[in-house]
Amino acid sequence: MRQSAGQRLRSAVEAERPLQVAGAINAYAAMMAEQVGFRALYVSGAGVANASFGLPDLGITSLNDCVEDVRRLSSVTELPILVDADTGFGSAFQIARTVQQMERAGAAGIHIEDQVAAKRCGHRPNKAIVSQAEMTDRIRAAADARADSQFVIMARTDALAVEGIDRAIERARACVEAGADMIFPEAVTRLEDYKAFAEAVQVPVLANITEFGLTPLFTTEQLASAGVGLALYPLSAFRAMSAAALLVYKAIREEGTQQSVIDRMQTRSELYAFLHYLDYEQRLDRLFGIEKGVD
């Protein structure tokens, strides 16, 4: 019997510690990540806002915006997809709808955070969080709404930067009691803090290894030593793609040709290989009775 998406994510967490989760901003990025061996993918809220809509990560995009990006990924890969659901996109009934829509779109799980609705990037100052009671209500609403009991509900807490390590751990434990399967402590700066979370909650803990933020770029070996279960790289490829695209745009504009940057580009044959283009073309030829070498 085929495993559900949630089961595939849970199995991946058991098979690889920490499980490296690759952020993919579109379907083609997902295909490349799968090709190089990643076992799980991630749809970032910031990625949806930045890449799909040209907006900052400030809670501006909607559930439907996010779900559409999830559908695009799940249509091209069987890898389990963890999705950033921000604050759940509303109160209890809307959180339930978020879970239901994400399951139908092919997601393996979501994380919901404890920031207020007018949220900020987790690595920026002046974050504000809701009460512990309100956060646990969010988790209960999400856990109660899933049709597949294996669909992963992950609780993200930004309390470390706001209230300190002890209160953040207390909040994380309360989320587990409310039904969270995994914990995502945001903006952690020390390995010993990850270890403290892992020992306290006794469920898989995710480390957000995002560039240019507050968390050092810990290696998987370091994270494993601290008991971390998942290592997330939410926008690494997107940042590299953006830098390369800007370089190419500038070269074409300034030099009147792309000749100086052609070596920075993926070739047509490499693109075709990822997309299995020639297989599609051969099917088209068979469909219309086109013989090779015949005009």
Side-chain angles (χ1 to χ4, degrees), residues 218-238:
F218 296 122
T219 67
T220 51
E221 184 177 359
Q222 290 173 312
L223 294 171
S225 72
V228 168
L230 304 91
L232 174 64
Y233 310 89
L235 293 173
S236 305
F238 171 60

Side-chain angles (χ1 to χ4, degrees), residues 106-129:
I110 62 171
H111 65 74
I112 296 178
E113 66 196 58
D114 57 3
Q115 284 200 54
V116 297
K119 58 158 289 177
R120 297 171 184 254
C121 168
H123 292 255
R124 296 293 299 160
N126 302 319
K127 294 186 293 185
I129 58 175

Side-chain angles (χ1 to χ4, degrees), residues 194 206-211 215-219 223 231-234 236:
Y194 279 124
L206 179 145
N208 184 16
I209 310 302
T210 185
E211 304 80 17
T215 302
L217 303 183
F218 296 122
T219 67
L223 294 171
L232 174 64
Y233 310 89
S236 305

Side-chain angles (χ1 to χ4, degrees), residues 16 21 24 26 28 53 57 64 67 81-82 103 107-108 114 126 163-164 196 229 231 233 250:
E16 181 180 306
V21 184
N26 54 37
Y28 186 60
F53 292 93
D57 181 26
N64 288 342
V67 164
I81 303 166
L82 176 65
E103 281 194 81
D114 57 3
N126 302 319
E163 298 181 340
Y233 310 89
K250 285 181 176 179

Side-chain angles (χ1 to χ4, degrees), residues 84-90 95 111-122 126-139 154-165 167-175 183-187 197:
D84 179 358
D86 286 343
T87 61
F89 300 107
I95 290 171
H111 65 74
I112 296 178
E113 66 196 58
D114 57 3
Q115 284 200 54
V116 297
K119 58 158 289 177
R120 297 171 184 254
C121 168
N126 302 319
K127 294 186 293 185
I129 58 175
V130 299
S131 68
Q132 181 171 305
E134 183 171 343
M135 178 55 180
T136 53
D137 283 346
R138 289 177 180 178
I139 297 302
M154 179 182 287
R156 167 179 148 174
T157 179
D158 287 75
L160 179 62
V162 180
E163 298 181 340
I165 182 71
R167 294 293 298 276
I169 288 176
E170 177 187 337
R171 183 174 288 233
R173 293 180 67 177
C175 287
I183 293 294
F184 174 175
E186 180 62 300
F197 272 101

Side-chain angles (χ1 to χ4, degrees), residues 25-36:
I25 61 161
N26 54 37
Y28 186 60
M31 295 169 76
M32 290 192 290
E34 181 174 21
Q35 180 72 26
V36 302

